[in-house]
Amino acid sequence: MRVLLTGHQGYLGTVMAPVLTAAGHEVVGLDSGLFADCVLGPRPADPSGHRVDLRDVTAEHVAGVDAVIHLAALSNDPLGSLAPDLTYDINHHASVRLARLAREAGVKRFLYASTCSVYGAAGGGDLVGEDAPLRPVTPYAESKVRVEDDLHALADGDFTPVYMRNATAFGYSPRLRADIVLNNLVGHALLSGEVLVLSDGTPGGRWCTPPTSRGPSRPR
Ligand SMILES: NC(=O)c1ccc[n+]([C@@H]2O[C@H](COP(=O)([O-])OP(=O)(O)OC[C@H]3O[C@@H](n4cnc5c(N)ncnc54)[C@H](O)[C@@H]3O)[C@@H](O)[C@H]2O)c1
């Protein structure tokens, strides 16, 4: 299939593109390039792609495409909370616009990178299933819930959106994210010899200011 992979120059997209190519798909990227030059290790061989802001996508970008995998987003809680309107513009409105354009162009498959953060503070300590109520607690998570709702309304016999409510990824990517929890713990442990928990550990939890001196009061 000819696959439009948005966010192909991000943490996950950089790893996903070669996997899709190896599986025999033709990958076309789409990314504004926020992290294009943030490379750790050898520079990855990115697929050809469009350097465009998601908010400026046109019908041309989805013409001739069989499937869209939509990863591009402002993708963490502190960033999303910094400018919630921007988060909703990019993560919600532009994503739904992309889906509409794809549907009009006859694209059948639309895989959307949602997040397990849509469950928010589920409480109770029980495992949650796919049908659990959604309780987003940050603009980032709320933006993902809104996209899921709007994609659902677009679904029909010819257009099949799928939501991937992924948990937090970890591990190496040529475009590494050091803000996500396990990478952050490992990075800090490697660099300082100590494991430092930056948040209070709850979903959408408060972020603590990293301590400037070593001592027993350091949050762990
Ligand atoms: N990494 C995780 O643990 C995780 C977990 C659950 C869900 N997700 C979701 O998966 C997707 C990919 O996550 P990631 O970790 O690779 O994030 P990332 O921040 O590394 O990559 C996001 C990419 O989107 C691009 N982008 C941002 N704004 C854009 C815009 N306006 N126009 C075009 N491109 C834009 C960035 O340039 C970047 O390359 C995101 O939607 C994220 O919410 C990630």
Side-chain angles (χ1 to χ4, degrees):
M1 289 195 286
R2 185 175 164 85
V3 178
L4 181 71
L5 178 65
T6 76
H8 74 289
Q9 291 177 312
Y11 174 59
L12 296 183
T14 300
V15 175
M16 191 181 286
V19 171
L20 293 168
T21 305
H25 301 296
E26 181 192 348
V27 179
V28 180
L30 191 153
D31 202 301
S32 60
L34 293 179
F35 309 116
D37 297 324
C38 299
V39 172
L40 184 68
R43 195 170 181 88
D46 293 330
S48 67
H50 309 285
R51 172 67 68 92
V52 65
D53 192 296
L54 195 60
R55 293 165 292 181
D56 299 324
V57 164
T58 66
E60 269 177 41
H61 295 113
V62 287
V65 164
D66 300 303
V68 173
I69 302 179
H70 180 37
L71 306 181
L74 297 181
S75 56
N76 71 49
D77 287 324
L79 177 60
S81 302
L82 195 62
D85 287 347
L86 198 54
T87 298
Y88 291 124
D89 274 352
I90 294 171
N91 291 14
H92 177 212
H93 301 298
S95 293
V96 175
R97 207 171 132 267
L98 171 71
R100 282 212 186 89
L101 288 170
R103 186 175 183 254
E104 286 163 15
V107 176
K108 297 199 177 311
R109 275 288 198 188
F110 191 93
L111 268 65
Y112 173 58
S114 184
T115 169
C116 65
S117 297
V118 295
Y119 299 113
D126 295 329
L127 292 175
V128 294
E130 286 188 355
D131 297 331
L134 305 185
R135 297 198 179 93
V137 293
T138 62
Y140 165 71
E142 175 64 34
S143 73
K144 298 280 180 180
V145 172
R146 292 184 191 182
V147 175
E148 287 195 12
D149 285 347
D150 290 350
L151 287 180
H152 182 71
L154 292 177
D156 62 20
D158 294 320
F159 183 72
T160 312
V162 175
Y163 324 135
M164 303 180 285
R165 289 178 180 163
N166 300 312
T168 303
F170 59 91
Y172 175 72
S173 160
R175 293 193 177 89
L176 191 71
R177 276 184 64 179
D179 60 309
I180 44 183
V181 63
L182 193 65
N183 291 353
N184 189 274
L185 292 175
V186 172
H188 204 278
L190 274 173
L191 293 172
S192 72
E194 286 184 84
V195 174
L196 177 70
V197 177
L198 283 175
S199 77
D200 65 5
T202 60
R206 185 173 57 84
W207 281 66
C208 307
T209 306
T212 51
S213 61
R214 288 165 186 262
S217 61
R218 176 179 289 228
R220 283 166 207 277

